[in-house]
Amino acid sequence: MSQTRPEARLAAAAERPGKTVVLEWRNWQTHWTQNPAPFTGHEGSTPSSSTIRLLAIKAPDRIGPAHRGFSGLFRHVKGIDRRKSLVPTFISNPGYRASRMALSGIFAVLAGVCAFASEPQQDPADTDPGVTLEHGIGDSMPDWLSLSGEFRVRYENRQALGYSKGRDDGYALVRTRLDIGVEPTTWLRFGFQGQDARAPGIREGLSNIGAFRDGFDVRQAYAEFGGSKSPVTVTVGRQLLAYGDQRLVGALDWANTSRAFDAVKLVVRGPGAKIDIFSASVVQNDPERRINQSAEGNNLHGIYAAFENVLPGSTLEPYVLWQTTPVVVSELNLRGDLDRYTTGVRAWAQGLGPWDYNLAIVGQRGKAAGAAIQAWGYYAELGYSLDKRSSPRLYAHYNFGSGDENPEDGRVGGFVDLYPTAHRWYGYNDLVGWRNVKNLRLGAELKPRAKLRLQFDFHSFWLVSRRDALYNVAGRLSVAPPQDGAAESKIGDEVNATFTVPVTELLSLGGGVGYMFPGPFLKASTPGFGNTFSYLVIAYKF
């Protein structure tokens, strides 16, 4: 069969009347970069590589010489400046701060999504295969090289910040990732991921601005020795760590800059078993640095295992984690180092008939500037899937994280959830975290259409200790109690409604809204106005 230049095939396909060009990229990020596994328990446990098709776009009337091949596409790219935004100017328009626009936009998009999802889908066999992006690069591209990326834009609107009327904020979060993978042999892989995170419209002076923006930087750069089916694998370099349902160690991909670790990791696999042993230091996202660095002495060491069918149809995950920090200040205002030991076990299963469950118990011991750490936490979730239209799944969920009963006794009783991906667990408004909290969550997941997933949650929150504070999703003190302790432990109730829809296999759309109804504690300790959070997100992988 004769070979033709990829540019010629691209041009010929584009010039055929009535045709579209369908771009395709093979083996996107999950093959080459260590993206976190989806949350185990309900959404699978391992990433997989696949051939994924991009959004079909209408071909131009003609493709001139300046546009043929990738030399034309990247002709004007001279470099990336961390200080200059690559975001279209309309995103930073002050008009986007209007909360009404955000809320009305969510419902308008949701209505459009429902209409889109209800349309009959065309049989893939009837579509023209088009020209793939792989062909556009050229048939001479070596098999050991892979390129991919992601572009994500999310608009967020927050009302009544600090539970104060009129304290509103709206901003965009724009993230671009570029991935390079090299596999010279079956037992050796190199992965690199660059990331550019921008936040047009974000207010200045935030203490955690590194969670929102950071110019082009190295998110991952690692070498992996041993193939994916090898009984032993060693990974060295900047990488992602994500274990279990990520309540203690996760990549925090919801955040615009996310999280990575400088780490050495050993993985040992066997029939129905997997053990990870790692030593890591979390990377500090600093917009003022050219290349982000991990903090010396701020370490996390651990052993995390997974054993299948120890309990019938279930997976058991025991673990030991050791966190160190060179300097902390105790509740008695004493300075010293931190050694926190976290031990626990998680058990989960799905497909037990219509039932699924997910539960864990965790204990913490150690020293913080000489003060003894005695804390613990647990959670339990039970789900039931109905064999009905819309595939509804109903669930009940309870979280407990201990608080400090006496802030003057020199002992640390507050549970700390280390480096979690906590956004989905304690309410989308991110007002409550897994510390000094009792949280009852009731919810439902629905799929009214093949391309539409809806989720509805109700949360009710209480303080464990009325002498301890309310902590947000990042573990930071959010609302302090009165000197003699809070009169009421009820924090408040939160409702969330979210949707996701894959417009194509690589282009997805999502959004949601949440509202916190202040309870007696918030009304007594803050201005007491309800807090609203809304967002819209579009993500495109290439």
Side-chain angles (χ1 to χ4, degrees), residues 102-103 106 155 157 428 496-499 510-514 533-537:
L103 293 174
I106 286 175
Y155 175 74
N157 182 271
Y428 269 67
N496 302 136
T498 62
F499 76 91
V513 61
F533 170 69
S534 55
Y535 75 96
L536 282 172
V537 60

Side-chain angles (χ1 to χ4, degrees), residues 314-373:
S314 302
T315 299
L316 197 66
E317 299 179 356
Y319 50 86
V320 178
L321 305 170
W322 173 27
Q323 181 191 21
T324 69
T325 302
V327 179
V328 295
V329 179
S330 73
E331 60 187 22
L332 300 179
N333 205 30
L334 300 175
R335 295 170 64 87
D337 62 354
L338 167 73
D339 288 284
R340 178 181 284 113
Y341 300 92
T342 301
T343 58
V345 62
R346 173 186 178 232
W348 63 273
Q350 57 185 9
L352 300 176
W355 297 96
D356 62 78
Y357 76 88
N358 181 27
L359 56 88
I361 184 166
V362 193
Q364 291 183 332
R365 293 293 185 269
K367 294 284 186 178
I373 299 174

Side-chain angles (χ1 to χ4, degrees), residues 102-116:
L103 293 174
S104 62
I106 286 175
F107 291 112
V109 171
L110 181 56
V113 165
C114 293
F116 168 80

Side-chain angles (χ1 to χ4, degrees), residues 248 342 362-364 375-377 400-403 413-417 434-436:
L248 291 171
T342 301
V362 193
Q364 291 183 332
W376 68 296
F400 174 93
S402 62
F415 182 78
V416 176
D417 53 355
W434 193 13
R435 180 173 180 174
N436 193 36

